Structure formats: structure tokens, C-alpha cells
Amino acid sequence: MTALIIFGLLAILMLTGMPISISLGLTVLTFLFTMTQVPLESVALKLFTGIEKFEIMAIPFFILAGNFLTHGGVAKRMINFASSMVGHWYGGLGLAGVLACALFAAVSGSSPATVVAIGSILLPAMVKAGFPARFGAGVITTSGALGILIPPSICMVMFSVATNTSVGALFMAGVIPGLALAGVLGGVTWYRARKYNYPRQPKASWGERWAAFRASVWGLLLIVVVMGGIYTGIFTPTEAAAMSAVYAFICAIFIYKDLSLKDVPRVLLNSANMSAMLLYIITNAVLFSFIMTNESIPQSLAAWMLEQGFGVITFLLAVNVILLVAGNFMEPSSIVLIFAPLLFPVAVALGIHPIHFGILMVVNMEIGMCHPPVGLNLYVASGITKMGVTELTVAVWPWLLAMLGFLGLVTYWPGLSLWLPQQLGML
């Protein structure tokens, strides 16, 4: 009954159109003042202790790094390199978009940033080359979602904060599923381009490919800095985020010189705005999690599911349905922070590996970002393409169906996520 009251109140507040962060906060305060005897001092203490985790510091640093890269011309060079490698295949520019999104995802940590950085440059070029606008929009909207699966990932940091799992292990676990999903999206792109005979680029010579690689190498080296640093133990994921921000600043200002020093305050302000929004959501979600734990809701849910005879297969299917439905109404950060503390204890009780469960949640978040009514990638792509959300929804369906098939693979094949961190001795 307590759980129904809490989630019912949250649903009512969200249906009024109230931002999710404020809905969470008001739900907590209403419940505290009217239905519990929890001292307010403990709530205030939880507010501060909930966001003093070292891992949370990674979020503003990754956002800052992504903004420097988005404004600093790194995306353009990555697109040129990707196009030189695969542009001569069927749907070459579309395949280049998938590859460029995968590369940019490995340095940005954010899906909307990936869509903006790659889409704003590639989509006009695809239309100019003779591709239908819908095809280009479908490729970029779905491939941009790789931003939260290929590490570093802000979404994975959120999951780590909510469940106390290792950020480094989550990052390494995301590598193979991320590359596999990029392959799936590339396969759909190639198949549709071949079916409808879309344009192909002239094949680049090895000299042109080398020149494109040299131009983009400073941006690509950021992948080595972040992932190599974490794997070798030189620095933690949070320190890697700080290093990536410094490295991205040096690349944008002093190496590529696409940004001037007078542009830096604007980038810092944009990053501060985005970070503040996310940290506010985290703060309220921490309080919400505190209320659920205080009322023993996760434990009760775990006990009920085990009593009903829920096995691993049934539970994971139920988790996918819950998260996909939640993706219709909420953005990824909120879903992870609300549902991870609720579902995680059940997963652990059923013997599901915490890292596998984290990757499963992230893939669900990716799909949620690509379908209406609140898919962030759809709205970002809509702003770039000047297409309506309804038209974009039709455009992304072939890739979205492939992503749903991939979700089934990730769900029931734990080895896809766990093999690499196990080989690296992180599990």
C-alpha cells in the first residue's frame, strides 16, 4: 500500500507536466510530512551525504569535455575519417554517421551531445548527396544513442551512484555491447541503402584515409586517455573525467584552434547549466530512494517476486517491459535513479550479476531516447532536421526494431557484457 501511495503521487505530479526532479522532491516531502515519523534532520543529512559521492564528480567533467568537443571541431574530423573508411559502401555517408557516432560516443558520454555534434554536420551533407532526409534522421537519431552505452557514459555513472557498483567495471562492460550495437545499426543502414540503391561515395585512397586519420587523431586519443587510464589503474573514472575535460580543452583551444579563449566562458556556462540540472535530479532521486529504503519497499518487492516463483527469465522480461514503458514518460537519468534502487535488490537476490544488470538498464535507456513522447534524441534531431517528431518516429522504426532485438540478446546473454571486465580482472 505504501508503495502504491508513493508511486501514485509521483505519477499524478508528473501527469500535471511538472518536471521530474520537482515531482520527486514534492512526492518525498508530501509523504514525509503526512505519513511518516522520520525526523527532518535525517532528511537534511541524507540530502548532503547522498551527493557527496566521489563518482558524482565525474558527471560535470564529462559534460564539460563533451561540450568542448562538440564546439571544437572534433566531430567534423571524426566524420571525415569515418567517411574515408566506409563511404564507398552502400549508404556510405549513413555508415560513416554510425561509425562517427560510435567514435564520438567514446569521448563524450552523452547521447544528445553525440546527435548534435554528428547530426548537425552530417545530415545536411547526406541530403545534399541525395539521401532522403528520413533516412539520415533515422541513422543519426538511433546511432546517437550509442553515447550512453559506449564508455565513458554519464548514465553508467548514475547507475553506479544508485547501486554502489564499480564505474570502471561498468565502462569496460559497455565496450563489446556498444560495438555490437554499432554493428547492428550499421547493418540496418547498409541493408536499407542497398535495397533502395542510395548513393555511394568514391572510394578514398589510403593516402586520403591516412590524412583524415592524422587530422582526427587528437580527438581519437581521448579514448586512449580515458579507457587506458582506467584499465591500467593510473586514475579512477572520476579522475579520468577530469583528465578528459582538460584534454578536450587543450584540443579545442590550442591544437585544433576551433575555439578561442573568449568562447570558453560560454562553454563553461552551458556545462554548468546542464550539470546543475542533473545534480538537482540526483539530489531529489536520492531522497526518493531514501524513502523507499526506509519503508522497505525494495525488500518487500524482492520477497514478493521470489514468493511468486519469478525466475531470472521472467524477471528480466518484466524489467525490460517496465523500463521501456518508463521510457515513454521519463528521461534516462530519472529512470535509472528511481528504478535501479528498486529493482537492483531483486536482481541480486535472483543471482543476476550487478554489472550485467547495469548494461541491461543502459540499453533500455538507449531505446527510450529514440521513441516518443519524451525521447531526447528525437527532439534534438527534430531541431537539426526541422522535421516533426511524428515524422521522425516513422523514420527511426527500422533501427528501433533492430535495437529491440539487440536488447533481447543483451538481456539473456550475460557473457556479452561480462566477458571483457572478467578478462581484465575487474570482476
Side-chain angles (χ1 to χ4, degrees):
M1 182 57 71
T2 305
L4 286 175
I5 292 171
I6 292 174
F7 281 97
L9 186 57
L10 178 63
I12 290 167
L13 289 171
M14 285 170 54
L15 286 172
T16 64
M18 193 177 290
I20 183 69
S21 53
I22 298 175
S23 300
L24 282 168
L26 280 179
T27 300
V28 170
L29 290 174
T30 305
F31 188 78
L32 278 174
F33 280 118
T34 60
M35 301 187 69
T36 69
Q37 301 298 318
V38 177
L40 289 182
E41 290 81 0
S42 66
V43 178
L45 183 65
K46 190 65 186 174
L47 262 177
F48 286 100
T49 57
I51 59 168
E52 69 177 6
K53 294 181 180 177
F54 187 58
E55 293 86 354
I56 291 179
M57 288 177 61
I59 294 171
F61 284 129
F62 278 133
I63 289 171
L64 180 58
N67 277 342
F68 274 126
L69 294 172
T70 304
H71 293 92
V74 174
K76 180 174 64 179
R77 291 170 175 83
M78 284 184 173
I79 289 170
N80 290 340
F81 172 59
S83 183
S84 72
M85 297 304 293
V86 297
H88 58 286
W89 295 355
Y90 283 103
L93 275 180
L95 288 172
V98 176
L99 180 56
C101 283
L103 291 172
F104 197 80
V107 295
S108 74
S110 164
S111 285
T114 305
V115 174
V116 169
I118 304 299
S120 57
I121 300 166
L122 194 70
L123 284 173
M126 288 182 74
V127 172
K128 188 177 178 182
F131 288 90
R134 278 189 176 187
F135 178 79
V139 170
I140 298 302
T141 303
T142 50
S143 300
L146 292 167
I148 61 171
L149 181 58
I150 295 178
S153 162
I154 292 171
C155 202
M156 289 181 190
V157 177
M158 297 277 198
F159 181 83
S160 170
V161 168
T163 60
N164 288 317
T165 47
S166 164
V167 183
L170 279 167
F171 279 6
M172 292 303 167
V175 172
I176 293 178
L179 295 175
L181 181 56
V184 168
L185 296 173
V188 175
T189 303
W190 177 86
Y191 172 77
R192 290 184 65 80
R194 186 181 180 194
K195 181 179 179 181
Y196 297 108
N197 197 30
Y198 290 152
R200 298 162 72 173
Q201 302 289 100
K203 187 172 183 176
S205 67
W206 283 106
E208 289 169 331
R209 289 173 178 175
W210 174 245
F213 173 74
R214 284 180 60 190
S216 64
V217 72
W218 291 104
L220 297 173
L221 273 175
L222 185 53
I223 304 170
V224 180
V225 170
V226 174
M227 301 307 292
I230 294 171
Y231 165 57
T232 55
I234 296 173
F235 35 65
T236 66
T238 303
E239 291 162 351
M243 282 294 298
S244 71
V246 173
Y247 184 90
F249 168 78
I250 292 169
C251 273
I253 302 291
F254 300 110
I255 297 176
Y256 290 141
K257 298 179 181 176
D258 291 309
L259 275 179
S260 64
L261 285 171
K262 68 174 185 290
D263 295 320
V264 172
R266 176 170 54 88
V267 175
L268 290 173
L269 188 61
N270 287 345
S271 303
N273 285 338
M274 200 180 302
S275 300
M277 179 187 71
L278 282 175
L279 289 171
Y280 185 58
I281 293 173
I282 291 171
T283 305
N284 285 298
V286 163
L287 272 185
F288 190 78
S289 177
F290 167 67
I291 286 292
M292 287 198 299
T293 307
N294 191 62
E295 299 296 320
S296 301
I297 292 171
Q299 294 85 340
S300 301
L301 180 65
W304 179 82
M305 284 189 160
L306 292 173
E307 284 170 13
Q308 300 304 311
F310 270 49
V312 171
I313 292 174
T314 314
F315 171 71
L316 289 177
L317 180 63
V319 166
N320 283 336
V321 172
I322 290 167
L323 295 178
L324 289 173
V325 170
N328 284 300
F329 310 104
M330 298 156 67
E331 45 83 38
S333 304
S334 305
I335 296 174
V336 169
L337 291 165
I338 291 170
F339 286 98
L342 186 66
L343 299 169
F344 186 74
V346 189
V348 172
L350 288 169
I352 297 165
H353 199 287
I355 300 299
H356 170 223
F357 191 68
I359 299 301
L360 164 71
M361 284 199 76
V362 171
V363 174
N364 271 288
M365 300 306 97
E366 284 192 295
I367 295 171
M369 297 187 86
C370 300
H371 66 70
V374 295
L376 282 176
N377 285 11
L378 280 181
Y379 287 97
V380 173
S382 176
I384 296 170
T385 59
K386 303 294 184 283
M387 291 165 65
V389 172
T390 307
E391 189 179 359
L392 267 174
T393 304
V394 174
V396 302
W397 265 113
W399 291 269
L400 204 54
L401 287 173
M403 291 173 82
L404 285 168
F406 180 77
L407 173 61
L409 185 67
V410 168
T411 301
Y412 296 112
W413 184 18
L416 189 66
S417 308
L418 300 179
W419 182 82
L420 184 58
Q422 283 171 344
Q423 295 303 307
L424 298 175
M426 302 181 83
L427 297 180

